[in-house]
Amino acid sequence: MSLPFKRVIQILPGIAFIAALLLPLELATRWNLVNRVFIPAPSAVFATTYDIIITGQVFAPLLTTLSLLAGGYAIGCLAAISFGILMGNYRRVYNLFEPLIELLRPIPKAALLPVMILFLGLGPAMKLTTVGLATFFPVLINTVQGVRAVDPVMINTARTFGHSGAAILWRILLPATAPYILAGMRISLSISLIVVIIAEMISANGGLGDVIVYGQRMFLVVESYAWLVIVAALGFALNFWFRWVERRTTFWVSPSNQ
Amino acid sequence: MKLVTPQTTPINGQSIRIEGISKTFSSHGGTMLAVDDVALSVRPGEFLAIVGPSGCGKSTLLQIIAGLIPPTSGRVFLGDKDVTAQPAHMVYLFQQYSKSLLPWMNVEENVMFSFTHREQLSKSAARDRCHEYLQMVGLTAFHSYFPWQLSGGMQQRVAIARALAAEPHALLLDEPFSSVDALTRLDLHALMLDLWTQKRFTAVLVTHDVDEAVFLADRVAVLSHRPGRIVDIVDAGMPRPRLPVTTHQDPRFIAVRNQLLARLLTKPDAADVPAV
Ligand SMILES: Nc1ncnc2c1ncn2[C@@H]1O[C@H](COP(=O)(O)OP(=O)(O)OP(=O)(O)O)[C@@H](O)[C@H]1O
Ligand SMILES: [Mg+2]
């Protein structure tokens, strides 16, 4: 397969462009054209990033953030998928909840953090709940849409062979809706990362958000930037991984990729 | 293709009897009568065709027989059993085969989807059964393909194999050959007859293609314009085995076909005037 090679050729100009942006910054810091206290040299930031990873400092905050993210994300997805299937199938359930959902959905979930802290404190419960809420809405909306788009012919095919309701749910409804659900989950993944980092910044008791703020408070500016690079890499890796999962699980959607 | 004479194979199908079937749809604030008091009796192992103009309620009637939608009034019996509004051991073969095959299952999984939940079969027994039916439609080599990797005609053959692998008492066919090209259609006709002579299930075929109805069926029921009601039942009874070229040229075939066409072309307001 020449596909990876083609991909490399495709992203090469983009990478060159990033390098072209970093180079003047590097020179400017070396020639003292900017205040190095606030804007460290990219090379220094990357060196520190490397140190943080090599010395293993990265693990504790990364693990904290990842486990909160995974927990809240899983809760949010499960709730949204179950609820979305109900709403998509039953008009009455939909009519009952739709106004409430349309009201809650536009709230930036990070704005809920003060209230969440009030009720749940600064611990993991607060973070899991907020991440769960941030995950919930995009997945819910997509699931409802997906369920509605399922062709009745598929459902009737299962019925004519005498399949039970449970079998129709697991073997028809869920796979047929999966492309929609996964698209929602991909959006939620980015939002959840934002929310978990902000929550950690505010509560300052561990995680990547905490170490970024700590760096800033202690004037460890280079460290602060280095952790930022790590968060960026994490976001990138998560998205990359998710797209891979998406292609794998719903391979029939764009078969030409096979 | 081997041809088995009907007499040698025991009949597997059960009779279908429908009584006083009517269906009213409510739409746009009003109600609309789609099927009007239809009664029909299909013998075990018989091949019955229902022809009628577009929109006369053929699909509605067939879905009621299949138990996929409930009738507004009337009863459906399979053998002696009242199976009104429940998917009994009948299989409905959809016109839209491309939507009916599940894209996340390969050919083999699609076929197994029709019977493994009903019968406790070992993995190898299930595969054997699957391959027996795939062989009948000539697609054994494609068992690991996904539906979207097959041509339209092949997809419909998979759908047919899947329907038959369920070994139903009756097969209900809703214009299953209307969306393939003419040559493939003739091929599928021959295949369907071959399978029917081998398995002797009861078959009810809905179509607006009169030639197809006469070629395949023992009897042909004619539905009127909407609301669909039976205006005639014609004994087509062409000798079997039926062959694509000779049967279509048989004078009897032409006579029956012309009679049916005349019946169908009668205008709704002139329905009481005897057909020419
Ligand atoms: N779910 C429904 N709700 C309302 N009206 C319906 C519904 N299904 C069918 N109808 C109406 O019932 C009538 C009969 O439809 P049906 O699909 O049974 O016709 P048909 O004979 O199969 O037509 P065709 O040959 O074009 O497939 C049509 O006028 C259609 O608009
Ligand atoms: Mg129809």
mmCIF file of all heavy atoms in Angstrom, chain A residues 193-234:
data_model
loop_
_atom_site.group_PDB
_atom_site.id
_atom_site.type_symbol
_atom_site.label_atom_id
_atom_site.label_comp_id
_atom_site.label_asym_id
_atom_site.label_seq_id
_atom_site.Cartn_x
_atom_site.Cartn_y
_atom_site.Cartn_z
ATOM 1 N N LEU A 193 -12.072 17.181 26.453
ATOM 2 C CA LEU A 193 -10.688 17.486 26.797
ATOM 3 C C LEU A 193 -10.585 18.930 27.280
ATOM 4 O O LEU A 193 -9.947 19.217 28.301
ATOM 5 C CB LEU A 193 -9.769 17.250 25.590
ATOM 6 C CG LEU A 193 -8.286 17.480 25.858
ATOM 7 C CD1 LEU A 193 -7.770 16.502 26.901
ATOM 8 C CD2 LEU A 193 -7.460 17.363 24.580
ATOM 9 N N ILE A 194 -11.245 19.826 26.581
ATOM 10 C CA ILE A 194 -11.248 21.237 26.993
ATOM 11 C C ILE A 194 -11.786 21.350 28.413
ATOM 12 O O ILE A 194 -11.184 21.973 29.283
ATOM 13 C CB ILE A 194 -12.135 22.077 26.038
ATOM 14 C CG1 ILE A 194 -11.551 22.054 24.625
ATOM 15 C CG2 ILE A 194 -12.275 23.501 26.557
ATOM 16 C CD1 ILE A 194 -12.480 22.662 23.584
ATOM 17 N N VAL A 195 -12.935 20.719 28.642
ATOM 18 C CA VAL A 195 -13.610 20.863 29.930
ATOM 19 C C VAL A 195 -12.775 20.272 31.061
ATOM 20 O O VAL A 195 -12.652 20.874 32.135
ATOM 21 C CB VAL A 195 -15.009 20.217 29.876
ATOM 22 C CG1 VAL A 195 -15.597 20.090 31.272
ATOM 23 C CG2 VAL A 195 -15.925 21.039 28.992
ATOM 24 N N VAL A 196 -12.165 19.113 30.828
ATOM 25 C CA VAL A 196 -11.402 18.495 31.920
ATOM 26 C C VAL A 196 -10.179 19.354 32.253
ATOM 27 O O VAL A 196 -9.836 19.528 33.436
ATOM 28 C CB VAL A 196 -11.026 17.032 31.583
ATOM 29 C CG1 VAL A 196 -9.877 16.920 30.630
ATOM 30 C CG2 VAL A 196 -10.692 16.264 32.857
ATOM 31 N N ILE A 197 -9.554 19.937 31.260
ATOM 32 C CA ILE A 197 -8.392 20.794 31.521
ATOM 33 C C ILE A 197 -8.806 22.037 32.312
ATOM 34 O O ILE A 197 -8.163 22.410 33.297
ATOM 35 C CB ILE A 197 -7.711 21.207 30.188
ATOM 36 C CG1 ILE A 197 -7.174 19.982 29.442
ATOM 37 C CG2 ILE A 197 -6.613 22.227 30.432
ATOM 38 C CD1 ILE A 197 -5.991 19.312 30.070
ATOM 39 N N ILE A 198 -9.911 22.656 31.920
ATOM 40 C CA ILE A 198 -10.376 23.850 32.640
ATOM 41 C C ILE A 198 -10.728 23.493 34.091
ATOM 42 O O ILE A 198 -10.377 24.199 35.028
ATOM 43 C CB ILE A 198 -11.592 24.483 31.938
ATOM 44 C CG1 ILE A 198 -11.189 24.965 30.543
ATOM 45 C CG2 ILE A 198 -12.132 25.653 32.753
ATOM 46 C CD1 ILE A 198 -12.336 25.533 29.746
ATOM 47 N N ALA A 199 -11.421 22.351 34.248
ATOM 48 C CA ALA A 199 -11.802 21.923 35.601
ATOM 49 C C ALA A 199 -10.562 21.732 36.464
ATOM 50 O O ALA A 199 -10.533 22.129 37.633
ATOM 51 C CB ALA A 199 -12.608 20.633 35.527
ATOM 52 N N GLU A 200 -9.521 21.158 35.883
ATOM 53 C CA GLU A 200 -8.286 20.940 36.642
ATOM 54 C C GLU A 200 -7.578 22.263 36.942
ATOM 55 O O GLU A 200 -6.966 22.423 37.991
ATOM 56 C CB GLU A 200 -7.351 20.020 35.855
ATOM 57 C CG GLU A 200 -7.812 18.573 35.846
ATOM 58 C CD GLU A 200 -7.022 17.704 34.879
ATOM 59 O OE1 GLU A 200 -6.280 18.264 34.041
ATOM 60 O OE2 GLU A 200 -7.162 16.481 34.955
ATOM 61 N N MET A 201 -7.661 23.203 36.030
ATOM 62 C CA MET A 201 -7.059 24.512 36.251
ATOM 63 C C MET A 201 -7.716 25.203 37.439
ATOM 64 O O MET A 201 -7.049 25.830 38.250
ATOM 65 C CB MET A 201 -7.218 25.383 35.008
ATOM 66 C CG MET A 201 -6.274 25.008 33.888
ATOM 67 S SD MET A 201 -6.580 26.075 32.471
ATOM 68 C CE MET A 201 -5.047 25.836 31.586
ATOM 69 N N ILE A 202 -9.039 25.066 37.532
ATOM 70 C CA ILE A 202 -9.762 25.747 38.600
ATOM 71 C C ILE A 202 -9.550 25.055 39.936
ATOM 72 O O ILE A 202 -9.295 25.700 40.952
ATOM 73 C CB ILE A 202 -11.269 25.803 38.267
ATOM 74 C CG1 ILE A 202 -11.483 26.719 37.056
ATOM 75 C CG2 ILE A 202 -12.068 26.288 39.460
ATOM 76 C CD1 ILE A 202 -12.935 26.879 36.672
ATOM 77 N N SER A 203 -9.632 23.713 39.925
ATOM 78 C CA SER A 203 -9.580 23.037 41.217
ATOM 79 C C SER A 203 -8.152 22.835 41.708
ATOM 80 O O SER A 203 -7.924 22.666 42.902
ATOM 81 C CB SER A 203 -10.305 21.692 41.140
ATOM 82 O OG SER A 203 -9.778 20.934 40.074
ATOM 83 N N ALA A 204 -7.176 22.908 40.815
ATOM 84 C CA ALA A 204 -5.761 22.870 41.185
ATOM 85 C C ALA A 204 -5.415 21.725 42.125
ATOM 86 O O ALA A 204 -4.743 21.925 43.151
ATOM 87 C CB ALA A 204 -5.332 24.215 41.780
ATOM 88 N N ASN A 205 -5.901 20.537 41.819
ATOM 89 C CA ASN A 205 -5.482 19.398 42.642
ATOM 90 C C ASN A 205 -5.112 18.198 41.768
ATOM 91 O O ASN A 205 -5.590 17.093 41.959
ATOM 92 C CB ASN A 205 -6.562 19.032 43.664
ATOM 93 C CG ASN A 205 -7.931 18.866 43.002
ATOM 94 O OD1 ASN A 205 -8.035 18.846 41.778
ATOM 95 N ND2 ASN A 205 -8.950 18.758 43.811
ATOM 96 N N GLY A 206 -4.268 18.456 40.784
ATOM 97 C CA GLY A 206 -3.756 17.368 39.952
ATOM 98 C C GLY A 206 -4.256 17.426 38.526
ATOM 99 O O GLY A 206 -5.248 18.091 38.221
ATOM 100 N N GLY A 207 -3.488 16.780 37.674
ATOM 101 C CA GLY A 207 -3.882 16.747 36.267
ATOM 102 C C GLY A 207 -3.122 17.761 35.429
ATOM 103 O O GLY A 207 -2.413 18.628 35.952
ATOM 104 N N LEU A 208 -3.248 17.649 34.130
ATOM 105 C CA LEU A 208 -2.493 18.515 33.213
ATOM 106 C C LEU A 208 -2.896 19.978 33.356
ATOM 107 O O LEU A 208 -2.052 20.878 33.271
ATOM 108 C CB LEU A 208 -2.712 18.046 31.767
ATOM 109 C CG LEU A 208 -2.082 16.688 31.413
ATOM 110 C CD1 LEU A 208 -2.545 16.209 30.045
ATOM 111 C CD2 LEU A 208 -0.566 16.788 31.453
ATOM 112 N N GLY A 209 -4.174 20.231 33.569
ATOM 113 C CA GLY A 209 -4.630 21.611 33.753
ATOM 114 C C GLY A 209 -3.963 22.241 34.960
ATOM 115 O O GLY A 209 -3.570 23.417 34.939
ATOM 116 N N ASP A 210 -3.825 21.473 36.014
ATOM 117 C CA ASP A 210 -3.189 21.948 37.247
ATOM 118 C C ASP A 210 -1.738 22.336 37.010
ATOM 119 O O ASP A 210 -1.307 23.431 37.398
ATOM 120 C CB ASP A 210 -3.305 20.850 38.312
ATOM 121 C CG ASP A 210 -2.727 21.299 39.651
ATOM 122 O OD1 ASP A 210 -2.648 22.521 39.879
ATOM 123 O OD2 ASP A 210 -2.382 20.411 40.451
ATOM 124 N N VAL A 211 -0.988 21.463 36.333
ATOM 125 C CA VAL A 211 0.443 21.761 36.176
ATOM 126 C C VAL A 211 0.691 22.967 35.273
ATOM 127 O O VAL A 211 1.662 23.710 35.470
ATOM 128 C CB VAL A 211 1.260 20.535 35.674
ATOM 129 C CG1 VAL A 211 1.405 19.519 36.779
ATOM 130 C CG2 VAL A 211 0.655 19.922 34.435
ATOM 131 N N ILE A 212 -0.203 23.192 34.316
ATOM 132 C CA ILE A 212 -0.047 24.380 33.472
ATOM 133 C C ILE A 212 -0.197 25.646 34.315
ATOM 134 O O ILE A 212 0.620 26.563 34.251
ATOM 135 C CB ILE A 212 -1.082 24.378 32.320
ATOM 136 C CG1 ILE A 212 -0.775 23.246 31.339
ATOM 137 C CG2 ILE A 212 -1.096 25.722 31.595
ATOM 138 C CD1 ILE A 212 -1.831 23.058 30.272
ATOM 139 N N VAL A 213 -1.259 25.669 35.134
ATOM 140 C CA VAL A 213 -1.496 26.840 35.979
ATOM 141 C C VAL A 213 -0.380 26.994 37.013
ATOM 142 O O VAL A 213 0.096 28.103 37.286
ATOM 143 C CB VAL A 213 -2.860 26.732 36.680
ATOM 144 C CG1 VAL A 213 -3.025 27.824 37.713
ATOM 145 C CG2 VAL A 213 -3.971 26.806 35.657
ATOM 146 N N TYR A 214 0.064 25.885 37.567
ATOM 147 C CA TYR A 214 1.145 25.909 38.554
ATOM 148 C C TYR A 214 2.383 26.555 37.948
ATOM 149 O O TYR A 214 3.006 27.425 38.555
ATOM 150 C CB TYR A 214 1.447 24.480 39.012
ATOM 151 C CG TYR A 214 2.550 24.394 40.024
ATOM 152 C CD1 TYR A 214 2.292 24.641 41.375
ATOM 153 C CD2 TYR A 214 3.855 24.079 39.645
ATOM 154 C CE1 TYR A 214 3.302 24.585 42.309
ATOM 155 C CE2 TYR A 214 4.878 24.011 40.575
ATOM 156 C CZ TYR A 214 4.595 24.262 41.900
ATOM 157 O OH TYR A 214 5.608 24.198 42.819
ATOM 158 N N GLY A 215 2.734 26.162 36.757
ATOM 159 C CA GLY A 215 3.886 26.726 36.056
ATOM 160 C C GLY A 215 3.767 28.233 35.918
ATOM 161 O O GLY A 215 4.719 28.979 36.150
ATOM 162 N N GLN A 216 2.570 28.661 35.576
ATOM 163 C CA GLN A 216 2.352 30.090 35.379
ATOM 164 C C GLN A 216 2.494 30.841 36.699
ATOM 165 O O GLN A 216 3.133 31.885 36.782
ATOM 166 C CB GLN A 216 0.960 30.288 34.772
ATOM 167 C CG GLN A 216 0.570 31.721 34.531
ATOM 168 C CD GLN A 216 -0.634 32.133 35.371
ATOM 169 O OE1 GLN A 216 -1.463 31.302 35.730
ATOM 170 N NE2 GLN A 216 -0.686 33.403 35.711
ATOM 171 N N ARG A 217 1.935 30.288 37.781
ATOM 172 C CA ARG A 217 1.983 30.952 39.089
ATOM 173 C C ARG A 217 3.397 31.030 39.633
ATOM 174 O O ARG A 217 3.776 31.980 40.291
ATOM 175 C CB ARG A 217 1.097 30.196 40.079
ATOM 176 C CG ARG A 217 -0.360 30.370 39.714
ATOM 177 C CD ARG A 217 -1.264 30.167 40.922
ATOM 178 N NE ARG A 217 -2.647 30.296 40.471
ATOM 179 C CZ ARG A 217 -3.591 29.395 40.694
ATOM 180 N NH1 ARG A 217 -3.307 28.320 41.399
ATOM 181 N NH2 ARG A 217 -4.801 29.588 40.256
ATOM 182 N N MET A 218 4.186 29.990 39.379
ATOM 183 C CA MET A 218 5.539 29.911 39.933
ATOM 184 C C MET A 218 6.573 30.521 38.979
ATOM 185 O O MET A 218 7.758 30.352 39.193
ATOM 186 C CB MET A 218 5.917 28.442 40.196
ATOM 187 C CG MET A 218 5.049 27.771 41.211
ATOM 188 S SD MET A 218 5.351 28.454 42.836
ATOM 189 C CE MET A 218 3.695 28.617 43.463
ATOM 190 N N PHE A 219 6.104 31.169 37.945
ATOM 191 C CA PHE A 219 6.995 31.738 36.936
ATOM 192 C C PHE A 219 7.877 30.700 36.262
ATOM 193 O O PHE A 219 8.981 30.990 35.845
ATOM 194 C CB PHE A 219 7.845 32.893 37.507
ATOM 195 C CG PHE A 219 7.120 34.190 37.379
ATOM 196 C CD1 PHE A 219 6.517 34.786 38.477
ATOM 197 C CD2 PHE A 219 7.030 34.811 36.132
ATOM 198 C CE1 PHE A 219 5.831 35.973 38.349
ATOM 199 C CE2 PHE A 219 6.339 35.998 36.000
ATOM 200 C CZ PHE A 219 5.730 36.595 37.108
ATOM 201 N N LEU A 220 7.377 29.466 36.209
ATOM 202 C CA LEU A 220 8.093 28.440 35.441
ATOM 203 C C LEU A 220 7.501 28.469 34.032
ATOM 204 O O LEU A 220 6.782 27.560 33.618
ATOM 205 C CB LEU A 220 7.904 27.066 36.077
ATOM 206 C CG LEU A 220 8.394 26.975 37.520
ATOM 207 C CD1 LEU A 220 7.874 25.719 38.202
ATOM 208 C CD2 LEU A 220 9.921 26.992 37.545
ATOM 209 N N VAL A 221 7.808 29.572 33.328
ATOM 210 C CA VAL A 221 7.137 29.814 32.059
ATOM 211 C C VAL A 221 7.430 28.719 31.035
ATOM 212 O O VAL A 221 6.536 28.231 30.354
ATOM 213 C CB VAL A 221 7.533 31.195 31.512
ATOM 214 C CG1 VAL A 221 6.891 31.439 30.161
ATOM 215 C CG2 VAL A 221 7.114 32.262 32.497
ATOM 216 N N VAL A 222 8.684 28.312 30.948
ATOM 217 C CA VAL A 222 9.053 27.284 29.973
ATOM 218 C C VAL A 222 8.290 25.993 30.268
ATOM 219 O O VAL A 222 7.755 25.344 29.366
ATOM 220 C CB VAL A 222 10.573 27.030 29.999
ATOM 221 C CG1 VAL A 222 10.929 25.935 29.009
ATOM 222 C CG2 VAL A 222 11.319 28.306 29.669
ATOM 223 N N GLU A 223 8.200 25.634 31.565
ATOM 224 C CA GLU A 223 7.469 24.430 31.954
ATOM 225 C C GLU A 223 6.000 24.538 31.542
ATOM 226 O O GLU A 223 5.401 23.596 31.035
ATOM 227 C CB GLU A 223 7.563 24.205 33.471
ATOM 228 C CG GLU A 223 8.796 23.480 33.927
ATOM 229 C CD GLU A 223 10.015 24.385 33.937
ATOM 230 O OE1 GLU A 223 9.880 25.583 33.593
ATOM 231 O OE2 GLU A 223 11.105 23.896 34.269
ATOM 232 N N SER A 224 5.455 25.710 31.786
ATOM 233 C CA SER A 224 4.059 25.930 31.444
ATOM 234 C C SER A 224 3.819 25.668 29.956
ATOM 235 O O SER A 224 2.878 24.974 29.577
ATOM 236 C CB SER A 224 3.679 27.369 31.791
ATOM 237 O OG SER A 224 2.362 27.416 32.249
ATOM 238 N N TYR A 225 4.705 26.227 29.143
ATOM 239 C CA TYR A 225 4.593 26.005 27.700
ATOM 240 C C TYR A 225 4.783 24.533 27.345
ATOM 241 O O TYR A 225 4.098 23.989 26.478
ATOM 242 C CB TYR A 225 5.622 26.850 26.933
ATOM 243 C CG TYR A 225 5.162 28.272 26.671
ATOM 244 C CD1 TYR A 225 5.653 29.332 27.424
ATOM 245 C CD2 TYR A 225 4.253 28.543 25.652
ATOM 246 C CE1 TYR A 225 5.247 30.630 27.187
ATOM 247 C CE2 TYR A 225 3.837 29.848 25.403
ATOM 248 C CZ TYR A 225 4.337 30.896 26.174
ATOM 249 O OH TYR A 225 3.936 32.161 25.933
ATOM 250 N N ALA A 226 5.716 23.904 28.024
ATOM 251 C CA ALA A 226 6.002 22.493 27.737
ATOM 252 C C ALA A 226 4.761 21.624 27.999
ATOM 253 O O ALA A 226 4.413 20.753 27.207
ATOM 254 C CB ALA A 226 7.173 22.011 28.584
ATOM 255 N N TRP A 227 4.104 21.915 29.115
ATOM 256 C CA TRP A 227 2.879 21.147 29.424
ATOM 257 C C TRP A 227 1.797 21.420 28.387
ATOM 258 O O TRP A 227 1.000 20.548 28.046
ATOM 259 C CB TRP A 227 2.375 21.491 30.832
ATOM 260 C CG TRP A 227 3.192 20.855 31.915
ATOM 261 C CD1 TRP A 227 4.057 21.483 32.759
ATOM 262 C CD2 TRP A 227 3.236 19.469 32.251
ATOM 263 N NE1 TRP A 227 4.639 20.580 33.612
ATOM 264 C CE2 TRP A 227 4.155 19.328 33.319
ATOM 265 C CE3 TRP A 227 2.595 18.322 31.758
ATOM 266 C CZ2 TRP A 227 4.443 18.100 33.906
ATOM 267 C CZ3 TRP A 227 2.876 17.105 32.349
ATOM 268 C CH2 TRP A 227 3.799 16.992 33.401
ATOM 269 N N LEU A 228 1.800 22.642 27.890
ATOM 270 C CA LEU A 228 0.847 22.997 26.842
ATOM 271 C C LEU A 228 1.079 22.139 25.588
ATOM 272 O O LEU A 228 0.133 21.654 24.960
ATOM 273 C CB LEU A 228 1.008 24.483 26.504
ATOM 274 C CG LEU A 228 -0.213 25.219 25.981
ATOM 275 C CD1 LEU A 228 -1.351 25.118 26.987
ATOM 276 C CD2 LEU A 228 0.127 26.686 25.715
ATOM 277 N N VAL A 229 2.360 21.980 25.277
ATOM 278 C CA VAL A 229 2.710 21.134 24.124
ATOM 279 C C VAL A 229 2.193 19.710 24.354
ATOM 280 O O VAL A 229 1.657 19.070 23.450
ATOM 281 C CB VAL A 229 4.242 21.136 23.891
ATOM 282 C CG1 VAL A 229 4.631 20.075 22.866
ATOM 283 C CG2 VAL A 229 4.696 22.511 23.438
ATOM 284 N N ILE A 230 2.326 19.257 25.600
ATOM 285 C CA ILE A 230 1.879 17.898 25.923
ATOM 286 C C ILE A 230 0.356 17.777 25.771
ATOM 287 O O ILE A 230 -0.151 16.795 25.216
ATOM 288 C CB ILE A 230 2.344 17.498 27.338
ATOM 289 C CG1 ILE A 230 3.860 17.301 27.305
ATOM 290 C CG2 ILE A 230 1.647 16.244 27.821
ATOM 291 C CD1 ILE A 230 4.513 17.194 28.652
ATOM 292 N N VAL A 231 -0.348 18.799 26.236
ATOM 293 C CA VAL A 231 -1.810 18.777 26.090
ATOM 294 C C VAL A 231 -2.193 18.774 24.613
ATOM 295 O O VAL A 231 -3.096 18.036 24.181
ATOM 296 C CB VAL A 231 -2.462 19.982 26.806
ATOM 297 C CG1 VAL A 231 -3.951 20.047 26.483
ATOM 298 C CG2 VAL A 231 -2.271 19.876 28.305
ATOM 299 N N ALA A 232 -1.490 19.588 23.830
ATOM 300 C CA ALA A 232 -1.779 19.639 22.394
ATOM 301 C C ALA A 232 -1.552 18.273 21.757
ATOM 302 O O ALA A 232 -2.387 17.787 20.978
ATOM 303 C CB ALA A 232 -0.912 20.691 21.715
ATOM 304 N N ALA A 233 -0.440 17.641 22.126
ATOM 305 C CA ALA A 233 -0.125 16.323 21.578
ATOM 306 C C ALA A 233 -1.198 15.311 21.991
ATOM 307 O O ALA A 233 -1.611 14.454 21.200
ATOM 308 C CB ALA A 233 1.251 15.863 22.064
ATOM 309 N N LEU A 234 -1.662 15.428 23.230
ATOM 310 C CA LEU A 234 -2.702 14.527 23.718
ATOM 311 C C LEU A 234 -3.979 14.679 22.890
ATOM 312 O O LEU A 234 -4.564 13.689 22.433
ATOM 313 C CB LEU A 234 -2.992 14.811 25.198
ATOM 314 C CG LEU A 234 -4.135 14.002 25.811
ATOM 315 C CD1 LEU A 234 -3.809 12.525 25.806
ATOM 316 C CD2 LEU A 234 -4.429 14.475 27.231
#
